[in-house]
Amino acid sequence: MFIRKSPKIPRTVWTLGYVSLFMDLSSELVHSILPVFLVTVLGANALTVGFIEGIAEAAALIVKIFSGALSDFFNRRKWLILAGYGMAALTKPLFPLASSVETVFTARFLDRIGKGIRGAPRDALIADVAPSDIRGACFGLRQSMDTVGAVLGPLAAIVLLYLYHGDMKTVLWFAVVPAAITIILIMAGVREPRR
């Protein structure tokens, strides 16, 4: 009996999976305590917290409309992916440094713009490099690793808040490390196919 051997998941897909894991860990660590930080440390009210979240998420959704088309137009996906994740990574130190609601708003807005920039080009690159036989598995791997990061982020926040006795600014600094790792991973491990 002949058993067909499935192709291996490409290195770029694995790398993008780890990129998603680390960035989601970083982002969810911040997002899980950000509303409490805004209210208890910076003195914001519930309306302000809702306004910041609403504008930030709307910005991400609007940018998504254009990022995929740009990656097709320029026929280069890695640099848009790097720009999106890079923008998100650069915002992470702004959260613990923030002394005003305006700084948090700016950081959150730029973070979500980065999310909007990277999503479509990242998925398009996975489609470019994934063998057709295992394309679904490649997308599933990336998404599952993203979910792992989304679970680890709030767990890390809980543990760190306990260890640092509720010092939210110190805990927010920990989000910088996994965000920086994503940039290294993209630069070192993401390859575009030759066109």
Side-chain angles (χ1 to χ4, degrees), residues 41-58:
V41 177
L42 299 182
N45 59 35
L47 180 64
T48 302
V49 173
F51 176 80
I52 290 171
E53 290 301 308
I55 295 294
E57 292 301 329

Side-chain angles (χ1 to χ4, degrees), residues 159-170:
V159 171
L160 290 166
L161 283 169
Y162 175 76
L163 293 174
Y164 288 92
H165 308 289
D167 183 351
M168 283 185 268
K169 286 204 172 200
T170 300

Side-chain angles (χ1 to χ4, degrees), residues 109-124:
F109 183 77
L110 293 174
D111 174 59
R112 295 295 89 181
I113 293 282
K115 181 179 175 67
I117 290 171
R118 69 188 183 238
R122 179 199 60 221
D123 291 345

Side-chain angles (χ1 to χ4, degrees), residues 94-113:
L94 294 177
F95 293 106
L97 291 172
S99 57
S100 69
V101 171
E102 292 78 16
T103 304
V104 171
F105 173 76
T106 302
R108 189 79 173 98
F109 183 77
L110 293 174
D111 174 59
R112 295 295 89 181
I113 293 282

Side-chain angles (χ1 to χ4, degrees), residues 15-158:
T15 302
L16 289 171
Y18 282 109
V19 165
S20 291
L21 188 156
F22 282 109
M23 185 53 79
D24 243 41
L25 192 161
S26 175
S27 294
E28 293 303 327
L29 191 157
V30 171
H31 301 163
S32 62
I33 62 173
L34 193 59
V36 179
F37 177 73
L38 279 163
V39 172
T40 61
V41 177
L42 299 182
N45 59 35
L47 180 64
T48 302
V49 173
F51 176 80
I52 290 171
E53 290 301 308
I55 295 294
E57 292 301 329
L61 294 171
I62 291 167
V63 172
K64 280 181 184 180
I65 296 169
F66 305 103
S67 65
L70 280 174
S71 78
D72 288 339
F73 179 77
F74 291 113
N75 212 17
R76 290 283 179 264
R77 308 199 197 281
K78 180 176 177 176
W79 298 110
L80 278 171
I81 295 166
L82 185 60
Y85 280 104
M87 185 178 289
L90 288 173
T91 66
K92 294 304 186 273
L94 294 177
F95 293 106
L97 291 172
S99 57
S100 69
V101 171
E102 292 78 16
T103 304
V104 171
F105 173 76
T106 302
R108 189 79 173 98
F109 183 77
L110 293 174
D111 174 59
R112 295 295 89 181
I113 293 282
K115 181 179 175 67
I117 290 171
R118 69 188 183 238
R122 179 199 60 221
D123 291 345
L125 181 57
I126 290 172
D128 289 343
V129 300
S132 59
D133 292 358
I134 58 165
R135 192 165 287 144
C138 290
F139 277 100
L141 174 72
R142 206 280 316 162
Q143 186 60 52
S144 64
M145 293 178 80
D146 184 86
T147 302
V148 169
V151 171
L152 291 177
L155 287 176
I158 292 166

